[in-house]
Amino acid sequence: MGAPEHLDRPTCQQVIDLLPEPFVVIDRDYRIVAANRAYRRRYGLRRGEVEGRRCHEVSHRSPVPCSRHGEVCPLEMALASRGPAQALHVHYDADGRADRVELEVMPILDGGCVRFFGERIRPLSERAVAGELLVGRSPSMLRVLALLQRAARSEAAVLLSGEGGTGKEQAARYLHHHSRRADGPFVVADCAALGPAGIEEALAGDPAPGRGGLLEAARGGTLFIDEVAELPPGAQARLLRALEGGRADVRVVAATRRDLVACVERGRLRADLYYRLGAFPVEMPALREHIDDVPALAEHFVAAMDGGGRHLPLAPEVLERLMSYHYPGNVRELRHIVERAVVLAGDGPLRPRHVVFPAEPQAVQPLRRRGRPAGGTVGREAVLAALARAGGHRGRAAAYLGVSERTLYRYLRRLREGAG
Ligand SMILES: Nc1ncnc2c1ncn2[C@@H]1O[C@H](COP(=O)(O)OP(=O)(O)OP(=O)(O)O)[C@@H](O)[C@H]1O
Protein backbone atom coordinates (compact mmCIF):
# COMPACT_ATOMS: atom_id res chain seq x y z
CA MET A 1 0.00 0.00 0.00
CA GLY A 2 1.77 3.15 -1.16
CA ALA A 3 1.68 6.11 1.24
CA PRO A 4 1.36 9.62 -0.18
CA GLU A 5 4.84 11.10 -0.44
CA HIS A 6 4.18 14.25 1.53
CA LEU A 7 3.11 12.35 4.69
CA ASP A 8 6.06 10.56 6.22
CA ARG A 9 4.62 10.86 9.75
CA PRO A 10 1.13 11.63 11.06
CA THR A 11 0.37 15.08 12.34
CA CYS A 12 -0.55 15.72 15.97
CA GLN A 13 -4.09 16.46 14.77
CA GLN A 14 -4.40 13.11 13.03
CA VAL A 15 -3.19 11.27 16.11
CA ILE A 16 -5.54 12.96 18.57
CA ASP A 17 -8.47 12.54 16.17
CA LEU A 18 -8.04 8.80 16.61
CA LEU A 19 -9.04 9.08 20.29
CA PRO A 20 -12.73 8.37 20.88
CA GLU A 21 -12.94 10.64 23.95
CA PRO A 22 -12.58 14.43 23.88
CA PHE A 23 -8.89 15.34 24.03
CA VAL A 24 -7.26 18.75 23.96
CA VAL A 25 -3.74 20.18 24.07
CA ILE A 26 -3.50 23.36 26.14
CA ASP A 27 -0.62 25.78 26.79
CA ARG A 28 0.35 27.33 30.14
CA ASP A 29 -1.88 30.28 29.42
CA TYR A 30 -4.99 28.01 29.26
CA ARG A 31 -5.07 28.47 25.44
CA ILE A 32 -6.10 25.53 23.33
CA VAL A 33 -3.38 24.52 20.89
CA ALA A 34 -5.16 21.51 19.38
CA ALA A 35 -8.46 19.72 19.95
CA ASN A 36 -9.67 16.42 18.56
CA ARG A 37 -12.88 15.77 16.69
CA ALA A 38 -14.67 14.37 19.79
CA TYR A 39 -13.84 17.56 21.72
CA ARG A 40 -15.13 19.84 18.95
CA ARG A 41 -18.29 17.79 18.65
CA ARG A 42 -18.92 17.83 22.38
CA TYR A 43 -18.52 21.58 22.73
CA GLY A 44 -20.20 22.46 19.42
CA LEU A 45 -17.18 24.00 17.69
CA ARG A 46 -16.05 23.70 14.08
CA ARG A 47 -12.49 23.11 12.98
CA GLY A 48 -10.53 26.34 13.22
CA GLU A 49 -12.93 27.78 15.84
CA VAL A 50 -11.25 26.22 18.81
CA GLU A 51 -7.49 26.88 18.57
CA GLY A 52 -6.43 29.98 20.49
CA ARG A 53 -9.51 30.00 22.74
CA ARG A 54 -9.07 29.46 26.47
CA CYS A 55 -10.22 26.09 27.79
CA HIS A 56 -12.35 27.62 30.57
CA GLU A 57 -14.22 29.78 28.02
CA VAL A 58 -15.16 26.69 26.04
CA SER A 59 -16.01 24.13 28.70
CA HIS A 60 -16.93 26.27 31.73
CA ARG A 61 -18.39 29.22 29.80
CA SER A 62 -16.36 31.39 32.12
CA PRO A 63 -13.88 34.19 31.36
CA VAL A 64 -11.69 33.10 34.29
CA PRO A 65 -9.98 29.78 35.12
CA CYS A 66 -11.98 27.29 37.17
CA SER A 67 -9.69 27.68 40.19
CA ARG A 68 -11.17 31.16 40.68
CA HIS A 69 -14.56 29.50 41.19
CA GLY A 70 -13.23 27.29 43.96
CA GLU A 71 -12.70 24.24 41.72
CA VAL A 72 -9.46 22.31 41.65
CA CYS A 73 -7.71 23.09 38.34
CA PRO A 74 -5.92 19.94 37.13
CA LEU A 75 -3.65 22.03 34.86
CA GLU A 76 -2.39 23.97 37.88
CA MET A 77 -1.92 20.71 39.79
CA ALA A 78 0.02 19.15 36.90
CA LEU A 79 2.13 22.29 36.58
CA ALA A 80 3.00 22.22 40.28
CA SER A 81 3.74 18.48 40.43
CA ARG A 82 5.06 18.09 36.85
CA GLY A 83 3.08 14.86 36.87
CA PRO A 84 -0.41 13.65 35.92
CA ALA A 85 -3.41 15.12 37.72
CA GLN A 86 -7.10 14.30 37.89
CA ALA A 87 -10.24 16.20 38.83
CA LEU A 88 -14.00 16.04 38.51
CA HIS A 89 -15.61 19.13 37.00
CA VAL A 90 -18.91 20.34 35.67
CA HIS A 91 -18.67 21.19 31.95
CA TYR A 92 -21.24 22.71 29.63
CA ASP A 93 -21.79 20.86 26.38
CA ALA A 94 -22.80 22.22 22.97
CA ASP A 95 -26.43 22.62 24.11
CA GLY A 96 -25.46 24.36 27.35
CA ARG A 97 -26.27 21.29 29.45
CA ALA A 98 -24.19 20.91 32.61
CA ASP A 99 -22.57 17.52 32.92
CA ARG A 100 -20.03 15.97 35.24
CA VAL A 101 -16.76 15.00 33.62
CA GLU A 102 -13.60 13.35 34.82
CA LEU A 103 -10.46 15.17 33.68
CA GLU A 104 -7.07 13.58 33.32
CA VAL A 105 -4.21 15.93 32.61
CA MET A 106 -0.67 14.98 31.56
CA PRO A 107 2.04 17.64 31.38
CA ILE A 108 4.14 17.81 28.19
CA LEU A 109 7.69 18.66 29.20
CA ASP A 110 10.37 20.44 27.22
CA GLY A 111 13.84 20.32 28.77
CA GLY A 112 12.32 19.55 32.19
CA CYS A 113 9.95 22.49 31.90
CA VAL A 114 6.17 22.11 31.49
CA ARG A 115 5.24 23.65 28.11
CA PHE A 116 1.85 22.15 27.35
CA PHE A 117 -0.78 19.87 28.84
CA GLY A 118 -2.71 17.02 27.26
CA GLU A 119 -6.20 16.80 28.77
CA ARG A 120 -8.54 13.86 28.39
CA ILE A 121 -12.18 14.48 29.21
CA ARG A 122 -14.30 11.54 30.21
CA PRO A 123 -17.99 12.42 30.49
CA LEU A 124 -19.60 10.34 33.20
CA SER A 125 -22.15 8.38 31.22
CA GLU A 126 -25.87 9.23 31.41
CA ARG A 127 -26.41 5.92 33.11
CA ALA A 128 -23.84 6.62 35.78
CA VAL A 129 -25.40 10.01 36.43
CA ALA A 130 -28.94 8.57 36.57
CA GLY A 131 -27.94 5.85 38.98
CA GLU A 132 -25.83 8.33 40.89
CA LEU A 133 -25.01 7.43 44.44
CA LEU A 134 -23.74 10.87 45.29
CA VAL A 135 -25.62 13.72 43.70
CA GLY A 136 -24.16 17.23 43.90
CA ARG A 137 -22.11 19.57 41.76
CA SER A 138 -21.14 22.25 44.27
CA PRO A 139 -17.42 22.86 44.72
CA SER A 140 -17.48 21.10 48.11
CA MET A 141 -19.18 17.99 46.67
CA LEU A 142 -16.82 17.95 43.70
CA ARG A 143 -13.92 18.05 46.14
CA VAL A 144 -15.40 15.10 48.05
CA LEU A 145 -15.97 13.17 44.80
CA ALA A 146 -12.42 13.82 43.62
CA LEU A 147 -11.06 12.56 46.97
CA LEU A 148 -13.27 9.47 46.85
CA GLN A 149 -12.22 8.72 43.27
CA ARG A 150 -8.59 8.96 44.30
CA ALA A 151 -9.13 6.81 47.38
CA ALA A 152 -11.08 4.25 45.32
CA ARG A 153 -7.99 3.57 43.22
CA SER A 154 -6.01 2.56 46.32
CA GLU A 155 -6.54 0.01 49.06
CA ALA A 156 -6.08 2.54 51.87
CA ALA A 157 -8.56 2.60 54.73
CA VAL A 158 -10.85 5.61 54.45
CA LEU A 159 -12.33 7.55 57.34
CA LEU A 160 -15.53 9.44 56.57
CA SER A 161 -16.54 12.09 59.05
CA GLY A 162 -19.51 14.41 59.15
CA GLU A 163 -22.85 15.07 60.76
CA GLY A 164 -25.70 12.59 60.58
CA GLY A 165 -27.39 12.35 57.19
CA THR A 166 -24.55 13.96 55.22
CA GLY A 167 -24.12 10.82 53.11
CA LYS A 168 -21.27 8.96 54.81
CA GLU A 169 -22.72 5.53 54.08
CA GLN A 170 -23.59 6.65 50.57
CA ALA A 171 -19.98 7.80 50.11
CA ALA A 172 -18.72 4.42 51.32
CA ARG A 173 -20.92 2.70 48.70
CA TYR A 174 -19.65 5.09 46.04
CA LEU A 175 -16.08 4.25 47.02
CA HIS A 176 -16.81 0.55 46.87
CA HIS A 177 -18.48 0.79 43.46
CA HIS A 178 -15.56 2.72 42.02
CA SER A 179 -12.92 0.40 43.45
CA ARG A 180 -11.40 -2.83 42.17
CA ARG A 181 -13.57 -4.56 44.77
CA ALA A 182 -16.83 -3.44 43.15
CA ASP A 183 -17.80 -7.04 42.32
CA GLY A 184 -17.18 -8.14 45.91
CA PRO A 185 -19.54 -7.67 48.87
CA PHE A 186 -20.28 -4.39 50.64
CA VAL A 187 -20.90 -5.22 54.28
CA VAL A 188 -22.17 -2.78 56.92
CA ALA A 189 -21.11 -3.10 60.56
CA ASP A 190 -23.19 -0.59 62.50
CA CYS A 191 -21.46 -0.38 65.87
CA ALA A 192 -24.14 1.84 67.39
CA ALA A 193 -27.06 -0.37 66.38
CA LEU A 194 -25.37 -3.64 67.35
CA GLY A 195 -24.16 -2.45 70.74
CA PRO A 196 -20.77 -3.35 72.30
CA ALA A 197 -21.38 -7.07 72.80
CA GLY A 198 -23.13 -7.43 69.47
CA ILE A 199 -20.42 -5.80 67.42
CA GLU A 200 -17.67 -7.87 68.96
CA GLU A 201 -19.59 -11.03 68.20
CA ALA A 202 -20.54 -9.85 64.73
CA LEU A 203 -16.93 -9.09 63.79
CA ALA A 204 -15.63 -12.38 65.11
CA GLY A 205 -18.46 -14.60 63.96
CA ASP A 206 -19.39 -17.98 65.29
CA PRO A 207 -16.69 -20.58 65.78
CA ALA A 208 -19.05 -23.09 64.14
CA PRO A 209 -17.76 -23.90 60.67
CA GLY A 210 -19.15 -21.78 57.86
CA ARG A 211 -20.42 -19.04 60.15
CA GLY A 212 -17.76 -16.41 59.93
CA GLY A 213 -18.20 -12.87 61.12
CA LEU A 214 -18.49 -9.61 59.24
CA LEU A 215 -14.77 -9.56 58.43
CA GLU A 216 -15.19 -12.91 56.76
CA ALA A 217 -18.41 -11.85 55.01
CA ALA A 218 -16.66 -8.82 53.54
CA ARG A 219 -13.77 -10.85 52.12
CA GLY A 220 -12.88 -9.57 48.64
CA GLY A 221 -15.03 -6.51 49.22
CA THR A 222 -15.50 -3.57 51.56
CA LEU A 223 -16.40 -3.49 55.25
CA PHE A 224 -18.16 -0.28 56.23
CA ILE A 225 -17.84 0.35 59.97
CA ASP A 226 -20.45 2.90 60.95
CA GLU A 227 -20.00 4.90 64.17
CA VAL A 228 -16.52 3.50 64.66
CA ALA A 229 -16.04 5.41 67.92
CA GLU A 230 -18.55 3.01 69.51
CA LEU A 231 -16.32 -0.04 68.97
CA PRO A 232 -15.58 -1.66 72.35
CA PRO A 233 -11.91 -2.35 73.27
CA GLY A 234 -12.06 -6.08 72.44
CA ALA A 235 -13.43 -5.40 68.96
CA GLN A 236 -10.87 -2.64 68.40
CA ALA A 237 -8.06 -5.11 69.16
CA ARG A 238 -9.58 -7.75 66.88
CA LEU A 239 -10.01 -5.33 64.01
CA LEU A 240 -6.48 -4.02 64.38
CA ARG A 241 -5.04 -7.54 64.38
CA ALA A 242 -6.98 -8.42 61.24
CA LEU A 243 -5.89 -5.27 59.44
CA GLU A 244 -2.25 -5.34 60.53
CA GLY A 245 -1.68 -8.96 59.84
CA GLY A 246 -3.04 -8.37 56.34
CA ARG A 247 -5.00 -11.54 57.03
CA ALA A 248 -8.31 -10.06 56.06
CA ASP A 249 -8.70 -9.42 52.34
CA VAL A 250 -10.98 -6.51 53.18
CA ARG A 251 -10.98 -2.80 52.47
CA VAL A 252 -12.19 -0.95 55.55
CA VAL A 253 -14.15 2.28 55.35
CA ALA A 254 -15.08 3.74 58.72
CA ALA A 255 -17.50 6.54 59.50
CA THR A 256 -17.97 8.76 62.50
CA ARG A 257 -19.94 11.78 63.65
CA ARG A 258 -17.56 12.26 66.55
CA ASP A 259 -14.23 13.99 66.93
CA LEU A 260 -12.01 10.90 66.89
CA VAL A 261 -8.94 12.75 68.14
CA ALA A 262 -10.88 13.59 71.29
CA CYS A 263 -11.95 9.92 71.54
CA VAL A 264 -8.28 8.88 71.39
CA GLU A 265 -7.38 11.47 74.02
CA ARG A 266 -10.12 10.19 76.31
CA GLY A 267 -8.92 6.64 75.84
CA ARG A 268 -12.10 5.48 74.09
CA LEU A 269 -10.34 4.68 70.85
CA ARG A 270 -6.91 3.10 70.47
CA ALA A 271 -4.46 5.49 68.87
CA ASP A 272 -2.97 2.74 66.66
CA LEU A 273 -6.42 1.88 65.30
CA TYR A 274 -7.18 5.54 64.71
CA TYR A 275 -3.98 5.94 62.64
CA ARG A 276 -4.78 2.78 60.74
CA LEU A 277 -8.35 3.75 59.91
CA GLY A 278 -7.65 7.42 59.36
CA ALA A 279 -5.11 6.90 56.56
CA PHE A 280 -7.36 8.73 54.12
CA PRO A 281 -9.77 11.14 55.86
CA VAL A 282 -12.73 12.58 53.94
CA GLU A 283 -15.08 15.05 55.54
CA MET A 284 -18.67 15.10 54.28
CA PRO A 285 -19.98 18.68 54.31
CA ALA A 286 -23.20 19.59 56.11
CA LEU A 287 -25.96 20.31 53.60
CA ARG A 288 -26.22 23.95 54.74
CA GLU A 289 -22.60 24.33 53.54
CA HIS A 290 -23.53 23.24 50.01
CA ILE A 291 -27.10 24.47 49.81
CA ASP A 292 -26.63 24.98 46.03
CA ASP A 293 -26.94 21.21 45.68
CA VAL A 294 -30.50 21.22 47.07
CA PRO A 295 -32.21 21.55 43.62
CA ALA A 296 -30.27 18.64 42.09
CA LEU A 297 -30.75 16.49 45.20
CA ALA A 298 -34.44 17.31 45.45
CA GLU A 299 -35.06 16.45 41.79
CA HIS A 300 -33.06 13.26 42.24
CA PHE A 301 -35.28 12.18 45.15
CA VAL A 302 -38.47 13.17 43.28
CA ALA A 303 -37.34 11.22 40.20
CA ALA A 304 -36.70 8.14 42.35
CA MET A 305 -40.34 8.07 43.54
CA ASP A 306 -43.10 6.23 41.76
CA GLY A 307 -44.65 8.72 39.35
CA GLY A 308 -42.33 11.45 40.65
CA GLY A 309 -41.15 12.25 37.12
CA ARG A 310 -44.31 14.23 36.32
CA HIS A 311 -43.30 16.87 38.90
CA LEU A 312 -40.02 17.54 37.12
CA PRO A 313 -38.52 20.01 36.69
CA LEU A 314 -39.54 21.42 40.08
CA ALA A 315 -40.98 24.94 39.93
CA PRO A 316 -38.55 27.77 40.82
CA GLU A 317 -40.74 28.78 43.83
CA VAL A 318 -40.54 25.21 45.17
CA LEU A 319 -36.76 25.16 44.80
CA GLU A 320 -36.52 28.58 46.42
CA ARG A 321 -38.49 27.37 49.42
CA LEU A 322 -36.41 24.20 49.67
CA MET A 323 -33.26 26.31 49.70
CA SER A 324 -34.53 28.58 52.49
CA TYR A 325 -34.07 25.96 55.21
CA HIS A 326 -30.92 25.00 57.12
CA TYR A 327 -31.39 21.18 57.25
CA PRO A 328 -29.98 20.11 60.63
CA GLY A 329 -30.68 16.53 59.49
CA ASN A 330 -28.78 17.18 56.24
CA VAL A 331 -29.52 15.27 53.01
CA ARG A 332 -31.61 12.69 54.84
CA GLU A 333 -33.93 15.41 56.10
CA LEU A 334 -34.17 16.95 52.63
CA ARG A 335 -35.09 13.54 51.26
CA HIS A 336 -37.91 13.10 53.78
CA ILE A 337 -39.23 16.62 53.18
CA VAL A 338 -39.23 16.13 49.41
CA GLU A 339 -40.89 12.72 49.64
CA ARG A 340 -43.59 14.13 51.91
CA ALA A 341 -44.13 17.03 49.48
CA VAL A 342 -44.73 14.58 46.60
CA VAL A 343 -47.25 12.66 48.69
CA LEU A 344 -49.01 15.88 49.79
CA ALA A 345 -49.17 17.14 46.18
CA GLY A 346 -51.19 14.04 45.26
CA ASP A 347 -52.42 14.23 41.68
CA GLY A 348 -51.93 17.99 41.41
CA PRO A 349 -48.79 20.03 40.77
CA LEU A 350 -46.18 20.25 43.50
CA ARG A 351 -46.40 23.71 45.10
CA PRO A 352 -44.33 25.51 47.76
CA ARG A 353 -47.05 24.86 50.38
CA HIS A 354 -46.40 21.11 50.05
CA VAL A 355 -42.86 21.66 51.32
CA VAL A 356 -43.28 21.44 55.08
CA PHE A 357 -40.41 22.02 57.47
CA PRO A 358 -40.52 20.79 61.07
CA ALA A 359 -41.49 23.24 63.82
CA GLU A 360 -42.47 26.08 61.53
CA PRO A 361 -42.26 29.07 61.41
CA GLN A 362 -38.99 29.14 63.37
CA ALA A 363 -37.39 26.52 61.16
CA VAL A 364 -37.79 28.61 58.02
CA GLN A 365 -35.63 31.46 59.23
CA PRO A 366 -33.03 32.47 56.67
CA LEU A 367 -30.06 30.17 56.65
CA ARG A 368 -27.34 32.60 57.58
CA ARG A 369 -29.08 34.05 60.61
CA ARG A 370 -29.16 30.75 62.38
CA GLY A 371 -26.37 29.39 64.49
CA ARG A 372 -24.71 26.10 63.68
CA PRO A 373 -27.19 23.44 64.69
CA ALA A 374 -25.95 20.56 66.75
CA GLY A 375 -25.46 17.72 64.30
CA GLY A 376 -24.35 15.06 66.72
CA THR A 377 -27.21 13.81 68.83
CA VAL A 378 -30.78 14.68 69.63
CA GLY A 379 -32.06 15.28 73.17
CA ARG A 380 -34.56 13.19 75.11
CA GLU A 381 -37.36 15.79 74.73
CA ALA A 382 -36.98 15.94 70.95
CA VAL A 383 -37.04 12.15 70.63
CA LEU A 384 -40.14 11.83 72.79
CA ALA A 385 -41.88 14.73 71.01
CA ALA A 386 -41.15 13.18 67.61
CA LEU A 387 -42.50 9.82 68.73
CA ALA A 388 -45.64 11.45 70.10
CA ARG A 389 -46.16 13.42 66.89
CA ALA A 390 -45.66 10.28 64.83
CA GLY A 391 -48.18 8.37 66.97
CA GLY A 392 -45.45 5.94 68.00
CA HIS A 393 -44.50 5.15 64.37
CA ARG A 394 -40.70 4.91 64.50
CA GLY A 395 -40.09 5.41 60.80
CA ARG A 396 -42.07 8.66 60.81
CA ALA A 397 -40.49 9.80 64.09
CA ALA A 398 -37.04 9.26 62.55
CA ALA A 399 -38.13 11.34 59.56
CA TYR A 400 -39.32 14.17 61.82
CA LEU A 401 -35.95 14.16 63.55
CA GLY A 402 -34.09 13.94 60.24
CA VAL A 403 -32.20 10.82 61.31
CA SER A 404 -32.19 7.24 60.08
CA GLU A 405 -34.35 4.64 61.79
CA ARG A 406 -31.14 2.97 62.87
CA THR A 407 -30.08 6.18 64.61
CA LEU A 408 -33.47 6.52 66.27
CA TYR A 409 -33.09 3.00 67.69
CA ARG A 410 -29.74 4.07 69.07
CA TYR A 411 -31.30 7.11 70.77
CA LEU A 412 -34.02 4.91 72.23
CA ARG A 413 -31.50 2.44 73.58
CA ARG A 414 -29.63 5.30 75.24
CA LEU A 415 -32.86 6.62 76.71
CA ARG A 416 -33.60 3.19 78.10
CA GLU A 417 -30.11 2.99 79.55
CA GLY A 418 -30.72 6.39 81.15
CA ALA A 419 -28.02 8.22 79.16
CA GLY A 420 -30.31 10.17 76.83
N1 LIG B 1 -25.04 13.22 47.82
C1 LIG B 1 -26.10 12.41 47.90
N2 LIG B 1 -26.75 12.04 46.80
C2 LIG B 1 -27.86 11.25 46.86
N3 LIG B 1 -28.37 10.80 48.02
C3 LIG B 1 -27.76 11.13 49.16
C4 LIG B 1 -26.59 11.94 49.17
N4 LIG B 1 -26.19 12.11 50.45
C5 LIG B 1 -27.05 11.43 51.21
N5 LIG B 1 -28.00 10.84 50.44
C6 LIG B 1 -29.17 10.10 50.94
O1 LIG B 1 -29.46 10.64 52.23
C7 LIG B 1 -29.74 9.62 53.17
C8 LIG B 1 -28.72 9.64 54.29
O2 LIG B 1 -27.45 9.26 53.79
P1 LIG B 1 -26.45 8.32 54.61
O3 LIG B 1 -27.19 7.23 55.34
O4 LIG B 1 -25.36 7.92 53.68
O5 LIG B 1 -25.92 9.39 55.68
P2 LIG B 1 -24.94 9.16 56.93
O6 LIG B 1 -24.04 10.35 56.98
O7 LIG B 1 -24.29 7.81 56.83
O8 LIG B 1 -25.98 9.20 58.13
P3 LIG B 1 -25.84 8.65 59.67
O9 LIG B 1 -24.64 9.33 60.26
O10 LIG B 1 -27.13 9.08 60.29
O11 LIG B 1 -25.71 7.16 59.59
C9 LIG B 1 -29.76 8.33 52.39
O12 LIG B 1 -31.10 8.09 51.99
C10 LIG B 1 -28.91 8.61 51.18
O13 LIG B 1 -29.35 7.85 50.09
Side-chain angles (χ1 to χ4, degrees), residues 238-307:
R238 177 178 294 280
L239 185 60
L240 194 63
R241 270 201 310 278
L243 296 178
E244 286 196 330
R247 268 171 290 168
D249 171 22
V250 167
R251 204 274 175 84
V252 173
V253 179
T256 185
R257 300 177 186 199
R258 290 180 190 272
D259 175 358
L260 286 192
V261 174
C263 292
V264 171
E265 280 165 6
R266 280 192 221 116
R268 282 188 64 157
L269 184 69
R270 293 173 63 133
D272 41 8
L273 182 62
Y274 168 70
Y275 292 126
R276 187 92 209 176
L277 294 179
F280 203 109
V282 178
E283 179 160 4
M284 300 301 291
L287 182 54
R288 62 184 172 281
E289 287 160 14
H290 60 116
I291 206 83
D292 291 352
D293 283 331
V294 164
L297 281 161
E299 294 198 334
H300 170 75
F301 294 137
V302 170
M305 288 181 77
D306 253 359

Side-chain angles (χ1 to χ4, degrees), residues 132-136 141 162-172 190 224 226-227 255-257 284 290 297 300-301 329-333 335 402-404 406-407 410:
E132 196 73 80
L133 283 163
L134 284 175
V135 174
M141 273 312 285
E163 294 177 12
T166 47
K168 298 185 291 297
E169 181 167 337
Q170 201 78 347
D190 186 342
F224 174 59
D226 202 3
E227 291 304 342
T256 185
R257 300 177 186 199
M284 300 301 291
H290 60 116
L297 281 161
H300 170 75
F301 294 137
N330 295 297
V331 183
R332 178 179 295 112
E333 188 179 16
R335 179 179 194 157
V403 301
S404 63
R406 230 157 53 189
T407 302
R410 192 172 78 235

Side-chain angles (χ1 to χ4, degrees), residues 29 62 76 78 84 95 104 126 137 143 152 173 180 219 232 275 293 319 355 367 386:
D29 201 24
S62 162
E76 292 170 12
D95 302 319
E104 230 178 298
E126 295 299 323
R137 295 166 178 189
R143 258 194 300 275
R173 289 184 191 278
R180 276 183 280 134
R219 184 159 14 140
Y275 292 126
D293 283 331
L319 295 178
V355 174
L367 186 70

Side-chain angles (χ1 to χ4, degrees), residues 130 152 166 233 238 281 338 353 365 411:
T166 47
R238 177 178 294 280
V338 166
R353 67 187 153 82
Q365 281 175 10
Y411 293 157

Side-chain angles (χ1 to χ4, degrees), residues 351-373:
R351 305 235 190 256
R353 67 187 153 82
H354 298 127
V355 174
V356 183
F357 301 121
E360 285 192 293
Q362 192 205 2
V364 215
Q365 281 175 10
L367 186 70
R368 282 183 182 76
R369 272 200 271 132
R370 295 186 63 93
R372 192 185 160 88

